mmCIF file of all heavy atoms in Angstrom:
data_model
loop_
_atom_site.group_PDB
_atom_site.id
_atom_site.type_symbol
_atom_site.label_atom_id
_atom_site.label_comp_id
_atom_site.label_asym_id
_atom_site.label_seq_id
_atom_site.Cartn_x
_atom_site.Cartn_y
_atom_site.Cartn_z
ATOM 1 N N ALA A 1 82.986 13.155 -31.986
ATOM 2 C CA ALA A 1 82.834 13.572 -30.523
ATOM 3 C C ALA A 1 82.403 12.353 -29.651
ATOM 4 O O ALA A 1 83.124 12.218 -28.562
ATOM 5 C CB ALA A 1 81.764 14.618 -30.343
ATOM 6 N N ARG A 2 81.625 11.609 -30.183
ATOM 7 C CA ARG A 2 81.319 10.325 -29.457
ATOM 8 C C ARG A 2 82.413 9.374 -29.279
ATOM 9 O O ARG A 2 82.679 8.797 -28.333
ATOM 10 C CB ARG A 2 80.144 9.685 -30.003
ATOM 11 C CG ARG A 2 78.780 10.355 -29.850
ATOM 12 C CD ARG A 2 77.588 9.693 -30.490
ATOM 13 N NE ARG A 2 76.376 10.346 -30.188
ATOM 14 C CZ ARG A 2 75.613 10.216 -29.030
ATOM 15 N NH1 ARG A 2 75.925 9.266 -28.165
ATOM 16 N NH2 ARG A 2 74.491 10.912 -28.912
ATOM 17 N N VAL A 3 83.248 9.297 -30.310
ATOM 18 C CA VAL A 3 84.408 8.223 -30.333
ATOM 19 C C VAL A 3 85.307 8.734 -29.407
ATOM 20 O O VAL A 3 85.971 8.041 -28.518
ATOM 21 C CB VAL A 3 84.965 8.223 -31.798
ATOM 22 C CG1 VAL A 3 86.226 7.425 -31.791
ATOM 23 C CG2 VAL A 3 84.032 7.476 -32.671
ATOM 24 N N ASN A 4 85.677 10.170 -29.412
ATOM 25 C CA ASN A 4 86.522 10.605 -28.431
ATOM 26 C C ASN A 4 86.133 10.445 -26.998
ATOM 27 O O ASN A 4 86.887 10.234 -26.100
ATOM 28 C CB ASN A 4 86.795 12.186 -28.651
ATOM 29 C CG ASN A 4 87.957 12.663 -27.945
ATOM 30 O OD1 ASN A 4 88.898 12.065 -27.629
ATOM 31 N ND2 ASN A 4 87.949 14.009 -27.800
ATOM 32 N N LYS A 5 84.881 10.552 -26.699
ATOM 33 C CA LYS A 5 84.231 10.431 -25.359
ATOM 34 C C LYS A 5 84.411 8.934 -24.943
ATOM 35 O O LYS A 5 84.831 8.726 -23.875
ATOM 36 C CB LYS A 5 82.826 10.760 -25.433
ATOM 37 C CG LYS A 5 82.149 10.605 -24.078
ATOM 38 C CD LYS A 5 80.656 11.137 -24.041
ATOM 39 C CE LYS A 5 79.989 11.035 -22.699
ATOM 40 N NZ LYS A 5 78.622 11.540 -22.805
ATOM 41 N N CYS A 6 84.171 8.041 -25.904
ATOM 42 C CA CYS A 6 84.362 6.582 -25.419
ATOM 43 C C CYS A 6 85.869 6.280 -25.197
ATOM 44 O O CYS A 6 86.107 5.519 -24.181
ATOM 45 C CB CYS A 6 83.815 5.724 -26.649
ATOM 46 S SG CYS A 6 82.011 5.882 -26.898
ATOM 47 N N LEU A 7 86.672 6.880 -26.024
ATOM 48 C CA LEU A 7 88.079 6.547 -25.851
ATOM 49 C C LEU A 7 88.735 7.093 -24.637
ATOM 50 O O LEU A 7 89.560 6.584 -23.796
ATOM 51 C CB LEU A 7 89.044 7.117 -26.983
ATOM 52 C CG LEU A 7 88.816 6.361 -28.362
ATOM 53 C CD1 LEU A 7 89.556 7.054 -29.404
ATOM 54 C CD2 LEU A 7 89.191 4.955 -28.294
ATOM 55 N N ILE A 8 88.200 8.383 -24.222
ATOM 56 C CA ILE A 8 88.758 8.909 -22.886
ATOM 57 C C ILE A 8 88.176 7.966 -21.792
ATOM 58 O O ILE A 8 89.056 7.855 -20.781
ATOM 59 C CB ILE A 8 88.074 10.311 -22.730
ATOM 60 C CG1 ILE A 8 88.734 11.294 -23.809
ATOM 61 C CG2 ILE A 8 88.234 10.795 -21.377
ATOM 62 C CD1 ILE A 8 88.036 12.720 -23.789
ATOM 63 N N ALA A 9 87.033 7.525 -21.714
ATOM 64 C CA ALA A 9 86.620 6.607 -20.659
ATOM 65 C C ALA A 9 87.422 5.304 -20.590
ATOM 66 O O ALA A 9 87.710 4.898 -19.562
ATOM 67 C CB ALA A 9 85.057 6.330 -20.863
ATOM 68 N N LEU A 10 87.597 4.804 -21.850
ATOM 69 C CA LEU A 10 88.581 3.494 -21.841
ATOM 70 C C LEU A 10 89.957 3.814 -21.386
ATOM 71 O O LEU A 10 90.598 3.002 -20.676
ATOM 72 C CB LEU A 10 88.555 2.978 -23.130
ATOM 73 C CG LEU A 10 87.139 2.472 -23.748
ATOM 74 C CD1 LEU A 10 87.156 1.960 -25.246
ATOM 75 C CD2 LEU A 10 86.623 1.238 -23.004
ATOM 76 N N VAL A 11 90.576 4.873 -21.721
ATOM 77 C CA VAL A 11 91.967 5.179 -21.337
ATOM 78 C C VAL A 11 92.026 5.502 -19.927
ATOM 79 O O VAL A 11 92.911 5.155 -19.162
ATOM 80 C CB VAL A 11 92.377 6.424 -22.104
ATOM 81 C CG1 VAL A 11 93.716 6.812 -21.586
ATOM 82 C CG2 VAL A 11 92.594 6.100 -23.643
ATOM 83 N N ASN A 12 90.941 6.085 -19.298
ATOM 84 C CA ASN A 12 91.065 6.435 -17.864
ATOM 85 C C ASN A 12 90.807 5.154 -17.059
ATOM 86 O O ASN A 12 91.381 5.067 -15.929
ATOM 87 C CB ASN A 12 89.722 7.360 -17.483
ATOM 88 C CG ASN A 12 89.952 8.759 -18.023
ATOM 89 O OD1 ASN A 12 91.095 9.160 -18.251
ATOM 90 N ND2 ASN A 12 88.797 9.650 -18.202
ATOM 91 N N ARG A 13 90.120 4.123 -17.499
ATOM 92 C CA ARG A 13 90.055 2.892 -16.833
ATOM 93 C C ARG A 13 91.283 1.820 -17.128
ATOM 94 O O ARG A 13 91.339 0.771 -16.813
ATOM 95 C CB ARG A 13 88.798 2.176 -17.333
ATOM 96 C CG ARG A 13 87.604 2.706 -16.570
ATOM 97 C CD ARG A 13 87.538 2.750 -15.040
ATOM 98 N NE ARG A 13 86.257 3.262 -14.530
ATOM 99 C CZ ARG A 13 86.168 4.341 -14.264
ATOM 100 N NH1 ARG A 13 87.060 5.316 -14.424
ATOM 101 N NH2 ARG A 13 84.808 4.840 -13.643
ATOM 102 N N LYS A 14 92.206 2.411 -17.996
ATOM 103 C CA LYS A 14 93.426 1.648 -18.352
ATOM 104 C C LYS A 14 93.073 0.334 -19.290
ATOM 105 O O LYS A 14 93.882 -0.508 -19.229
ATOM 106 C CB LYS A 14 94.301 1.309 -17.143
ATOM 107 C CG LYS A 14 94.802 2.519 -16.508
ATOM 108 C CD LYS A 14 95.663 2.193 -15.337
ATOM 109 C CE LYS A 14 96.162 3.316 -14.498
ATOM 110 N NZ LYS A 14 97.002 3.019 -13.355
ATOM 111 N N ILE A 15 91.988 0.425 -19.826
ATOM 112 C CA ILE A 15 91.548 -0.668 -20.781
ATOM 113 C C ILE A 15 92.239 -0.504 -22.124
ATOM 114 O O ILE A 15 92.561 -1.430 -22.839
ATOM 115 C CB ILE A 15 90.020 -0.649 -20.874
ATOM 116 C CG1 ILE A 15 89.493 -0.901 -19.527
ATOM 117 C CG2 ILE A 15 89.559 -1.848 -21.833
ATOM 118 C CD1 ILE A 15 87.865 -0.896 -19.469
ATOM 119 N N VAL A 16 92.457 0.777 -22.456
ATOM 120 C CA VAL A 16 93.165 1.157 -23.726
ATOM 121 C C VAL A 16 94.245 2.151 -23.300
ATOM 122 O O VAL A 16 94.042 2.879 -22.552
ATOM 123 C CB VAL A 16 92.092 1.794 -24.625
ATOM 124 C CG1 VAL A 16 92.771 2.381 -25.924
ATOM 125 C CG2 VAL A 16 90.991 0.733 -25.046
ATOM 126 N N THR A 17 95.301 1.930 -24.039
ATOM 127 C CA THR A 17 96.465 2.851 -23.874
ATOM 128 C C THR A 17 96.687 3.843 -24.996
ATOM 129 O O THR A 17 96.483 3.436 -26.187
ATOM 130 C CB THR A 17 97.787 2.048 -23.662
ATOM 131 O OG1 THR A 17 98.057 1.090 -24.823
ATOM 132 C CG2 THR A 17 97.752 1.208 -22.390
ATOM 133 N N LYS A 18 97.145 4.987 -24.748
ATOM 134 C CA LYS A 18 97.180 6.082 -25.768
ATOM 135 C C LYS A 18 98.734 6.221 -26.071
ATOM 136 O O LYS A 18 99.512 6.433 -24.998
ATOM 137 C CB LYS A 18 96.675 7.313 -25.221
ATOM 138 C CG LYS A 18 96.616 8.427 -26.231
ATOM 139 C CD LYS A 18 95.848 9.658 -25.624
ATOM 140 C CE LYS A 18 95.876 10.846 -26.565
ATOM 141 N NZ LYS A 18 95.209 11.933 -26.025
ATOM 142 N N ASP A 19 99.082 6.236 -27.307
ATOM 143 C CA ASP A 19 100.518 6.327 -27.591
ATOM 144 C C ASP A 19 100.667 7.410 -28.666
ATOM 145 O O ASP A 19 100.046 7.281 -29.763
ATOM 146 C CB ASP A 19 101.055 4.984 -28.116
ATOM 147 C CG ASP A 19 102.576 4.979 -28.549
ATOM 148 O OD1 ASP A 19 103.251 5.902 -28.108
ATOM 149 O OD2 ASP A 19 102.989 4.211 -29.296
ATOM 150 N N ASN A 20 101.705 8.226 -28.443
ATOM 151 C CA ASN A 20 101.918 9.343 -29.586
ATOM 152 C C ASN A 20 103.379 9.496 -29.704
ATOM 153 O O ASN A 20 103.757 10.607 -30.052
ATOM 154 C CB ASN A 20 101.233 10.614 -29.076
ATOM 155 C CG ASN A 20 101.827 11.117 -27.656
ATOM 156 O OD1 ASN A 20 102.476 10.365 -27.098
ATOM 157 N ND2 ASN A 20 101.439 12.377 -27.280
ATOM 158 N N SER A 21 104.099 8.445 -29.471
ATOM 159 C CA SER A 21 105.549 8.514 -29.697
ATOM 160 C C SER A 21 106.015 8.624 -31.087
ATOM 161 O O SER A 21 107.134 9.106 -31.388
ATOM 162 C CB SER A 21 106.160 7.272 -28.992
ATOM 163 O OG SER A 21 105.704 6.057 -29.686
ATOM 164 N N THR A 22 105.065 8.138 -32.075
ATOM 165 C CA THR A 22 105.484 8.268 -33.451
ATOM 166 C C THR A 22 104.952 9.442 -34.055
ATOM 167 O O THR A 22 105.117 9.706 -35.375
ATOM 168 C CB THR A 22 104.831 7.031 -34.178
ATOM 169 O OG1 THR A 22 103.344 7.034 -33.993
ATOM 170 C CG2 THR A 22 105.393 5.709 -33.564
ATOM 171 N N GLY A 23 104.445 10.345 -33.312
ATOM 172 C CA GLY A 23 103.925 11.656 -34.011
ATOM 173 C C GLY A 23 102.356 11.575 -34.244
ATOM 174 O O GLY A 23 101.627 12.676 -34.245
ATOM 175 N N ALA A 24 101.775 10.397 -34.353
ATOM 176 C CA ALA A 24 100.432 10.091 -34.548
ATOM 177 C C ALA A 24 99.902 9.476 -33.281
ATOM 178 O O ALA A 24 100.400 8.662 -32.739
ATOM 179 C CB ALA A 24 100.121 9.360 -35.785
ATOM 180 N N VAL A 25 98.616 9.985 -32.912
ATOM 181 C CA VAL A 25 97.977 9.366 -31.677
ATOM 182 C C VAL A 25 97.366 7.996 -32.087
ATOM 183 O O VAL A 25 96.454 7.847 -32.916
ATOM 184 C CB VAL A 25 96.930 10.259 -31.204
ATOM 185 C CG1 VAL A 25 96.273 9.678 -29.975
ATOM 186 C CG2 VAL A 25 97.493 11.594 -30.799
ATOM 187 N N LEU A 26 97.899 6.895 -31.393
ATOM 188 C CA LEU A 26 97.368 5.619 -31.611
ATOM 189 C C LEU A 26 96.900 5.031 -30.350
ATOM 190 O O LEU A 26 97.329 5.356 -29.222
ATOM 191 C CB LEU A 26 98.430 4.652 -32.162
ATOM 192 C CG LEU A 26 99.106 5.016 -33.475
ATOM 193 C CD1 LEU A 26 100.351 4.138 -33.829
ATOM 194 C CD2 LEU A 26 98.045 5.151 -34.654
ATOM 195 N N TYR A 27 95.707 4.205 -30.410
ATOM 196 C CA TYR A 27 95.165 3.567 -29.312
ATOM 197 C C TYR A 27 95.283 2.014 -29.402
ATOM 198 O O TYR A 27 95.029 1.489 -30.388
ATOM 199 C CB TYR A 27 93.755 3.942 -29.127
ATOM 200 C CG TYR A 27 93.349 5.371 -28.967
ATOM 201 C CD1 TYR A 27 93.224 6.289 -30.102
ATOM 202 C CD2 TYR A 27 93.184 5.978 -27.683
ATOM 203 C CE1 TYR A 27 93.009 7.645 -29.855
ATOM 204 C CE2 TYR A 27 93.088 7.281 -27.550
ATOM 205 C CZ TYR A 27 92.963 8.140 -28.692
ATOM 206 O OH TYR A 27 92.739 9.446 -28.334
ATOM 207 N N HIS A 28 95.882 1.417 -28.313
ATOM 208 C CA HIS A 28 96.153 -0.068 -28.261
ATOM 209 C C HIS A 28 95.193 -0.666 -27.229
ATOM 210 O O HIS A 28 95.081 -0.142 -26.098
ATOM 211 C CB HIS A 28 97.561 -0.195 -27.947
ATOM 212 C CG HIS A 28 98.706 0.374 -28.784
ATOM 213 N ND1 HIS A 28 99.110 -0.310 -29.856
ATOM 214 C CD2 HIS A 28 99.256 1.521 -28.901
ATOM 215 C CE1 HIS A 28 99.750 0.449 -30.631
ATOM 216 N NE2 HIS A 28 100.048 1.573 -29.988
ATOM 217 N N TRP A 29 94.717 -1.782 -27.570
ATOM 218 C CA TRP A 29 93.765 -2.456 -26.771
ATOM 219 C C TRP A 29 94.574 -3.254 -25.733
ATOM 220 O O TRP A 29 95.444 -3.985 -25.974
ATOM 221 C CB TRP A 29 92.860 -3.331 -27.485
ATOM 222 C CG TRP A 29 92.017 -4.260 -26.708
ATOM 223 C CD1 TRP A 29 92.131 -5.577 -26.478
ATOM 224 C CD2 TRP A 29 90.715 -3.860 -26.131
ATOM 225 N NE1 TRP A 29 91.140 -6.093 -25.621
ATOM 226 C CE2 TRP A 29 90.230 -5.115 -25.267
ATOM 227 C CE3 TRP A 29 90.095 -2.777 -26.016
ATOM 228 C CZ2 TRP A 29 89.119 -5.017 -24.651
ATOM 229 C CZ3 TRP A 29 88.895 -2.819 -25.201
ATOM 230 C CH2 TRP A 29 88.460 -3.888 -24.631
ATOM 231 N N GLN A 30 94.186 -3.152 -24.365
ATOM 232 C CA GLN A 30 94.871 -3.885 -23.375
ATOM 233 C C GLN A 30 94.050 -4.962 -22.638
ATOM 234 O O GLN A 30 94.381 -5.905 -22.159
ATOM 235 C CB GLN A 30 95.531 -2.801 -22.200
ATOM 236 C CG GLN A 30 96.503 -1.904 -22.833
ATOM 237 C CD GLN A 30 97.685 -2.556 -23.351
ATOM 238 O OE1 GLN A 30 98.086 -3.490 -22.768
ATOM 239 N NE2 GLN A 30 98.309 -1.934 -24.447
ATOM 240 N N GLY A 31 92.698 -4.585 -22.581
ATOM 241 C CA GLY A 31 91.723 -5.400 -21.864
ATOM 242 C C GLY A 31 91.495 -4.893 -20.583
ATOM 243 O O GLY A 31 92.121 -3.974 -20.017
#
């Protein structure tokens, strides 16, 4: 739950991108 909360905040600020094109949800660091 805490990891998901942190990832949501990072994705909303576009610091991390969320990719599910391969069927699995992957998070990529953008800075």
Side-chain angles (χ1 to χ4, degrees):
R2 288 182 175 271
V3 172
N4 194 23
K5 182 177 182 180
C6 297
L7 290 175
I8 290 174
L10 293 172
V11 172
N12 290 337
R13 290 295 187 271
K14 297 182 180 180
I15 300 173
V16 175
T17 57
K18 185 178 180 182
D19 181 22
N20 59 350
S21 59
T22 59
V25 180
L26 300 177
Y27 295 90
H28 298 273
W29 175 259
Q30 300 295 329

